[in-house]
Amino acid sequence: MVVAPSALAAGGPLLPAATLADRVSAALLRRRGMVLAFLLIPPLLWFGVIYLGSLFALLAQSLFRLDEFSGVVVREVGLQNFVALLEPSNVDVVLRSVTMATLVTATSVVLAFPVAYYMARYARGTQKALLYIAVMLPLWSSYLVRLYAWKLLLAKEGVVSWLVQQLHLGWLLDGLLSLPVIEANSLSFSPLGTFLVFVYMWLPFVILPIQAAIERIPPSVLEASSDLGAHPRQTLREVILPLAMPGIAAGSIFSFSLTLGDYIIPQVIGNSTQYIGQVVYRQQGLAGNLPFAAAFSLVPIVVIAVYLWLARRKGAFDAL
């Protein structure tokens, strides 16, 4: 056993000498900020090096250009790729993608809020557990399995068309498919089918944040609103919605960003209509134009940044 020299000189009890681990532990107890620093440094390094580093590499790549004759990336700094983004065809792709993401997000929030409210306020015990399982069950299967299952469901000979025919609503489906904004032979090759699959895919990511936000609202707040004479609709509008706004914002960010960058769903479900993800995929893979693909992939980042800025200005995060 190693004995501390000071204990021998003073004739006191024999105490073991402090080890390096003991000194480090004592230092951490005295300086609580060091504990926080040790906990935060690894994830911050990962965020800074991997995430921000990849974004800077993407930005640097977007400043280069592709030689049209040799197909080789010329590392000369320029803004030609960003100028090409302003061409009408590329602007149409961006507007189409943002419109689809907005529609999917709005529909997902409208569908998710009643489910989330019921789960948070009324469901108890086994019923609540079953609702959680029902919401998360689609996430237990593969993304591609769910996607191709929907392609079969929406096909011209699929279950959806069969059910519509059984209900004698074939005229309604044909009318929808003949609209100028859709113009398709079946749901599986139409923007409407793409929209339906997007909503299905991202709905669980919208329900759960809203449910968590509503569950954090103290029941006493709702009781106080009722005691002060507020109508249930007024309580919903003036109390519940503002306090649930962080959950709504979080769910809408999931839905909006995932829709904006997805390229597999429009490629499997839908016609030849192009979205941002498909353009990036084809420019990077088929065309080999990595600089232009990098420039186009910065568009969703800018759109999401604007979306977050607008959400913050509207007070979506004030209740956090």
Side-chain angles (χ1 to χ4, degrees):
M1 179 179 66
V2 180
V3 181
S6 57
L8 291 175
L14 299 180
L15 299 175
T19 62
L20 178 61
D22 295 333
R23 296 192 185 96
V24 171
S25 178
L28 292 177
L29 286 175
R30 289 193 299 269
R31 300 176 179 85
R32 297 299 178 90
M34 292 178 62
V35 179
L36 183 62
F38 279 121
L39 291 175
L40 291 180
I41 285 174
L44 288 177
L45 284 176
W46 176 268
F47 178 79
V49 175
I50 303 299
Y51 182 71
L52 295 181
S54 63
L55 288 182
F56 284 125
L58 196 67
L59 177 61
Q61 189 73 35
S62 66
L63 298 175
F64 302 148
R65 65 180 177 86
L66 183 72
D67 187 89
E68 296 181 358
F69 296 100
S70 63
V72 177
V73 175
V74 179
R75 299 183 180 278
E76 296 177 356
V77 177
L79 299 176
Q80 58 277 350
N81 293 315
F82 296 99
V83 173
L85 290 177
L86 300 178
E87 296 179 359
S89 59
N90 295 325
V91 173
D92 288 343
V93 170
V94 174
L95 293 178
R96 187 182 305 117
S97 302
V98 172
T99 301
M100 176 64 78
T102 303
L103 292 175
V104 169
T105 300
T107 305
S108 298
V109 170
V110 170
L111 294 177
F113 193 89
V115 178
Y117 184 81
Y118 183 84
M119 291 174 63
R121 287 297 166 199
Y122 297 105
R124 294 291 183 271
T126 304
Q127 186 187 36
K128 191 169 189 176
L130 291 176
L131 286 172
Y132 270 115
I133 293 174
V135 170
M136 294 186 292
L137 189 62
L139 304 179
W140 297 355
S141 60
S142 170
Y143 172 90
L144 292 177
V145 170
R146 287 178 283 147
L147 176 57
Y148 279 100
W150 268 99
K151 186 173 181 65
L152 295 176
L153 290 174
L154 298 177
K156 198 172 185 64
E157 301 80 12
V159 174
V160 175
S161 296
W162 174 84
L163 182 60
V164 169
Q165 295 298 331
Q166 294 299 313
L167 296 174
H168 304 289
L169 296 176
W171 58 271
L172 179 59
L173 179 60
D174 294 337
L176 285 174
L177 295 178
S178 63
L179 291 175
V181 294
I182 299 177
E183 291 184 350
N185 294 325
S186 70
L187 286 172
S188 61
F189 293 99
S190 68
L192 179 59
T194 305
F195 166 79
L196 293 174
V197 175
F198 269 135
V199 172
Y200 166 80
M201 288 290 189
W202 314 140
L203 192 58
F205 298 100
V206 183
I207 292 176
L208 295 177
I210 297 177
Q211 186 270 336
I214 295 176
E215 203 165 41
R216 287 198 299 268
I217 300 176
S220 57
V221 174
L222 304 181
E223 293 171 2
S225 176
S226 178
D227 293 341
L228 293 173
H231 192 272
R233 282 178 293 185
Q234 187 178 4
T235 300
L236 175 65
R237 186 176 62 254
E238 302 293 340
V239 179
I240 297 176
L241 280 178
L243 293 177
M245 193 56 66
I248 296 174
S252 65
I253 290 169
F254 282 133
S255 177
F256 190 86
S257 60
L258 291 171
T259 304
L260 200 61
D262 194 283
Y263 72 94
I264 300 178
I265 292 177
Q267 190 166 323
V268 176
I269 308 288
N271 48 24
S272 58
T273 305
Q274 294 289 299
Y275 294 90
I276 291 177
Q278 290 173 290
V279 173
V280 173
Y281 172 74
R282 293 181 179 181
Q283 288 293 329
Q284 185 271 336
L286 300 178
N289 193 348
L290 189 59
F292 184 69
F296 221 123
S297 62
L298 291 174
V299 174
I301 298 174
V302 175
V303 173
I304 291 297
V306 173
Y307 181 81
L308 291 174
W309 177 75
L310 290 175
R312 184 179 180 185
R313 280 183 60 88
K314 294 296 183 179
F317 308 115
D318 291 348
L320 286 175

